Amino acid sequence: MIPVMAEQAPPFPESDPAKAILRRYFGFETFRGFQREVIDHVMQGGDAVVLMPTGGGKSLCYQIPAMLRRGVGIVVSPLIALMQDQVGALRQNGIRAAFINSSLNSGEVSQVINQARMGTLDLLYMAPERLLMESSLGLLSQMNIALFAIDEAHCVSQWGHDFRPDYLGLTALADQFPGIPRLALTATADAPTRSEIIHRLRLENSRLFIAGFDRPNIQYRVAIKDNPKKQLKTFLKNEHAGNAGIVYCLSRSKVEETAYWLVEQGFNALPYHAGLDNGIRRQNQERFLFESGIIIVATIAFGMGIDKPDVRFVAHLDLPKSLESYYQETGRAGRDGLPADAFLTYGLEDVVLLRKFIDGSKAEERIKQIEHRKLDSLIGYCESAECRRRILLTYFGDNPPPTCNNCDTCLTPVATWDGLVAAQKALSCVYRTGQRFGTAHLIDVLTGKMSEKITRFSHHSISTFGIGKELTTNQWRSVFRQLIASGYLEIDVEGHGGLRLCEASRPLLRGEKTIFFRMDADAPKPMAQKKEKKKERITDKKEPITDTASSPLTSRVYAQSGLWKALRSMCVELGKQQGVPPFFIFNDTTLREIVSAMPTTLEQLGQIHGVGTNKLKNYGQQVLQLISSFRS
Ligand code: ADP
Ligand code: ZN
């Protein structure tokens, strides 16, 4: 274990202490989004629920108040790997952080506890089960506590696949530590999860901070399955040679088969699923984090707490469970803000399989209904002719513009048909039947099909009975899914999962708006605009052009390309020595800035994004030496 810095944090003479920490320790100039608001709110003793997309910068929201407030900030984090990473990264920045988990022996645990008691720790990470042990709660009550931060707070939700029963016990913090600010943080933002977090963690009096969920650097693409392995290979070869990424598959056997196949095809791929031997699993995860250019092929068991900033793509060979899972899984791409891809292939066989999973589960009927509706939203997303980003963001409650220019439907529009009349029929049918039925029944009404349910509710005598015979049942299904995906119909998740109208339905019903449904099912073609963008990327693969090497511009390109490689190797080397991933030393965003600015003094280097005082002290000279060796 790396020892905790013993020195006291220097005082903050600046008039704005939060900003001073941001600069001095993290090397950033400005706060992002509402980080500042959360910090100010917590500094005044308030509780907060913070919803921000992955990579949005949630950590600073509690790290900075924990450093500024008296006492230690207790961070509840679900995974050992996650807390070790966070603590490692904090220490790189010279921040006094530690964790307590099962990887420490009792001597190490007492050492950490002593530091916390003495007030020489700013942040202490613990797993919920450890925190809730009576002895731990006793110890905590003897410490000065700056705040409690509950990370990955959606783990408290019984709906989600990340549910951790121990999180439910965190309610106790509200009673046992009144007056100490509590923050719940998550990237999962759908309304039911949000209210569950607030309710279960007793955060009714907290302030809610919801960030825009857009991840503009991620390009969303969906392709109909047509030899998915070949599709994946083309995608990897043409767009992601040498890049790190994640390929998600539904089953363990498919993970292994796909990883093996990729290796045969010459890719650097490793499998990851819950059935693998612990040691191998851990090793594969570490290689993904520490080495560059590894493709991890995984089930959804892989991902929570994966903090690797330079994941350049997330590919789904099978449908994820819901749009929430999809957004969370794809959110692991491009955390460094550089261009990244989310690539999904889907086929009807996936839908059948997932439906079977849901039906075969032991969940109660109501929950199954909702799972089916969630799957509908996801299929709707795949089938839609609208901007993918718009659909995703609408689903999470944002109000995005109609096009984004960075998804397949925006970049290569698909063939569509004018669906206004069909949409109006579908919406009227929802209305006339009382806004409480699911798609199957609504389609029976529209196509005039008699069933026991139709008779029971006398739906054969309403005006929408049999008005939709021009479309087949399958076509109607697709219409409903696209209406749901585009936000024209809502799923009543609190009730029985029936469909109901919403604000957006009105203009459609009145004919004040047009709507087009997707017609073709062709795989999207490669995108021209994207290729141009990629050319600008600096990668270690790219060799400089040789024939014009004499021009001053080209010699700078030469130097920069060499410097980039050298800096990267330096980070790998330093990371190895300290047992941390290379991006803990400097991440790609910082390296890019260094390469383009080529600073000559420590002061200039210190201005660069991500170079705080500690890193400047530890690595500054070495970086400057490298730069000077490439300048001449
Ligand atoms: P998450 O919301 O997923 O927990 P993190 O807190 O890990 O996100 O932050 C994601 C990335 O953004 C990190 O590399 C972090 O250093 C960077 N970051 C966070 N806040 C800022 C800021 N104000 N300015 C620049 N970069 C920031
Ligand atoms: Zn778009």
Side-chain angles (χ1 to χ4, degrees), residues 359-377:
D359 288 333
S361 82
K362 294 198 179 78
E364 50 181 289
E365 208 43 44
R366 198 175 75 94
I367 297 191
K368 285 186 188 174
Q369 289 279 335
I370 291 173
E371 299 265 304
H372 278 300
R373 301 294 163 266
K374 285 191 165 183
L375 184 54
D376 282 342
S377 305

Side-chain angles (χ1 to χ4, degrees), residues 154-169:
H154 61 278
C155 290
V156 82
S157 161
Q158 282 161 315
W159 293 101
H161 52 71
D162 291 331
F163 174 56
R164 315 248 317 183
D166 287 315
Y167 263 65
L168 294 175

Side-chain angles (χ1 to χ4, degrees), residues 238-252:
N238 293 353
E239 304 184 50
H240 289 287
N243 286 344
I246 308 173
V247 177
Y248 280 111
C249 304
L250 203 56
S251 68
R252 294 174 185 183

Side-chain angles (χ1 to χ4, degrees), residues 220 386-390 402-411:
Y220 297 98
E386 274 198 48
C387 168
R388 309 270 183 208
R389 189 178 313 274
R390 179 179 163 75
T403 52
C404 76
N405 269 327
N406 196 23
C407 75
D408 54 359
T409 46
C410 282
L411 294 170

